[in-house]
Amino acid sequence: MTMTQITLSKPDDMHLHVRNGEALKRVIHDTAKQFARAIIMPNLATPVTQVEQAQAYHQEILQALSDGGHPDVDFHPLMTLYLTDNTTAETIYQAKESGIIHALKLYPAGATTNSDAGVTDITNTYPALTAMQEVGMPLLVHGEVTDPHIDIFDREYVFIETILKPLSKAFPALKIVLEHITTKQAVEFIDNAADHIVATITAHHLLINRNAIFTGGIRPHHYCLPVLKREEHRLALVKAATSGSPKYFLGTDSAPHAQHAKESACGCAGMYTAFNAMELYAEVFEKANALDKLEDFASSYGANFYGLPKTEKQITLKKESWDVPHDLPYATDTTKESDEKIIPFRAGEQCSWKLY
Ligand code: DOR
Ligand code: ZN
């Protein structure tokens, strides 16, 4: 029987960028419609490295939610700290105490948006990692080496071999999330790793391969990091996501950038999927004949990993085509007194599922 409707516990987005200031005010509402909670990335222009900064950012998000005039929205931001060469064990203990910080994020310095303050040598983080292992604080990993001599399509695989495998041996009890995996080698690593080493998978890496960056010309809205890979890798990701394994769960990596910052001679990395995230995932699971596995992937496995209860709210998805807008309002650029736009994933095309 073909399913035309599915109701699930309101999902969690376990990897999300919402920025701050004007941009935050716009994008947070898209996520709050789709998700009950989200792990909030700390790569702001001024990285969120200290507990006080995370507390202020948490407040800013809650304020943006209530200012949006959606009093019925009950959305919980799950905060993270940005790991640096100088993060102390004391900061980890404070983060644990705070009750609002759920993980630390490792950006290799220079790997992606706002990662200049990232880690230059993983051994510099050993005092912090020791404390994290001790208190059960997960490490979220942007898994790419930054050596410009390594081919961009190999950077995830090389990271797994040269950094992640030794790291997981040095800290055998450390909870690790390999974020936004893009390769069959990442799936193989996760499948063979201990139970507390897991991965998130984005909708875009499940839906398109690297040809989508070059369809008829260069497509800046299909550029993200880690960059899209070959079809064989996409197929390995679909298999992992729809396998029913608790080691794989939902993380959109929705990463908003204004239209002009994407459509540029040096365009920013990131796709904006928050607007239609669950519709996109439903399409993937339907095509794989695995709609019955969607709820665990989207609403249970991530929550279990982070030790959170399943939410009581529900969402319904219906098999129903709709047109994705060409653009959405984004931040107001006060310097230019003009309104910025953001281009959502699938802009000007259709989605075959609709969220209710
Ligand atoms: O495409 C990406 N965009 N990948 C990342 O790792 C960061 C993100 C962003 O913050 O823009
Ligand atoms: Zn990200």
Side-chain angles (χ1 to χ4, degrees):
M1 200 191 73
T2 50
M3 268 207 245
T4 56
Q5 181 169 326
I6 170 170
T7 295
L8 25 148
S9 206
K10 198 168 183 186
D12 298 316
D13 182 352
M14 295 310 194
H15 184 126
L16 177 69
H17 301 266
V18 291
R19 317 304 183 199
N20 55 353
E22 291 300 308
L24 165 68
K25 288 182 191 161
R26 167 64 192 89
V27 298
I28 195 67
H29 301 287
D30 285 343
T31 288
K33 276 183 203 136
Q34 301 249 342
F35 296 101
R37 296 173 289 217
I39 289 276
I40 306 292
M41 289 297 128
N43 63 329
L44 301 181
T46 304
V48 181
T49 60
Q50 303 300 324
V51 173
E52 301 74 38
Q53 288 172 290
Q55 283 162 336
Y57 190 24
H58 186 242
Q59 277 310 313
E60 188 187 354
I61 295 171
L62 295 181
Q63 188 63 44
L65 280 163
S66 63
D67 287 353
H70 297 281
D72 55 332
V73 168
D74 179 20
F75 173 80
H76 299 279
L78 309 169
M79 308 313 289
T80 61
L81 289 187
Y82 188 118
L83 186 68
T84 73
D85 288 344
N86 305 314
T87 307
T88 62
E90 186 50 35
T91 297
I92 303 302
Y93 298 133
Q94 280 175 18
K96 184 75 184 172
E97 271 295 289
S98 77
I100 61 161
I101 296 168
H102 296 264
L104 273 88
K105 178 67 189 270
L106 163 64
Y107 289 106
T112 189
T113 309
N114 297 333
S115 62
D116 293 351
V119 171
T120 60
D121 179 340
I122 191 73
T123 58
N124 291 337
T125 67
Y126 277 18
L129 297 184
T130 304
M132 287 164 64
Q133 177 169 253
E134 181 194 329
V135 301
M137 179 70 81
L139 177 70
L140 314 184
V141 178
H142 183 107
E144 287 189 292
V145 290
T146 53
D147 180 347
H149 298 107
I150 308 282
D151 191 278
I152 189 167
F153 293 99
D154 296 335
R155 288 182 193 170
E156 182 176 273
Y157 169 62
V158 173
F159 182 91
I160 291 169
E161 291 302 317
T162 61
I163 312 280
L164 195 52
K165 283 187 179 173
L167 181 71
S168 59
K169 288 206 179 79
F171 295 91
L174 181 64
K175 293 178 86 169
I176 297 175
V177 186
L178 182 54
E179 299 285 0
H180 43 52
I181 58 169
T182 63
T183 57
K184 62 181 184 185
Q185 288 88 356
V187 171
E188 200 176 299
F189 168 74
I190 295 295
D191 279 346
N192 293 315
D195 289 350
H196 58 272
I197 300 180
V198 301
T200 54
I201 310 185
T202 75
H204 47 279
H205 288 107
L206 291 168
L207 283 164
I208 52 181
N209 66 34
R210 66 190 198 177
N211 288 338
I213 311 170
F214 306 105
T215 311
I218 191 143
R219 301 281 184 160
H221 297 290
H222 287 161
Y223 172 60
C224 66
L225 288 170
V227 70
L228 297 168
K229 306 293 192 299
R230 284 175 182 274
E231 179 65 1
E232 63 178 310
H233 297 291
R234 188 189 71 84
L235 292 173
L237 300 179
V238 171
K239 196 167 165 218
T242 60
S243 66
S245 163
K247 304 194 92 185
Y248 300 96
F249 50 82
L250 188 156
T252 62
D253 197 18
S254 177
H257 292 278
Q259 180 174 15
H260 75 83
K262 294 283 296 171
E263 298 173 8
S264 147
C266 188
C268 295
M271 299 195 206
Y272 188 60
T273 53
F275 180 68
N276 47 4
M278 285 310 299
E279 287 97 329
L280 297 169
Y281 281 107
E283 192 178 304
V284 172
F285 278 67
E286 182 195 24
K287 279 199 188 128
N289 243 321
L291 272 176
D292 59 323
K293 305 270 180 15
L294 180 60
E295 181 169 20
D296 279 340
F297 175 79
S299 320
S300 301
Y301 296 151
N304 289 348
F305 177 83
Y306 283 100
L308 300 166
K310 209 166 161 172
T311 62
E312 299 199 341
K313 295 201 161 192
Q314 292 192 316
I315 58 159
T316 294
L317 290 153
K318 291 186 185 169
K319 188 80 197 281
E320 196 179 300
S321 290
W322 59 284
D323 296 323
V324 180
H326 285 93
D327 53 49
L328 301 167
Y330 191 47
T332 300
D333 184 340
T334 43
T335 55
K336 290 191 217 138
E337 289 186 4
S338 64
D339 287 336
E340 304 263 15
K341 300 243 183 280
I342 188 165
I343 309 299
F345 191 80
R346 279 275 168 86
E349 294 174 45
Q350 288 203 322
C351 275
S352 57
W353 286 83
K354 189 154 178 33
L355 176 80
Y356 282 91

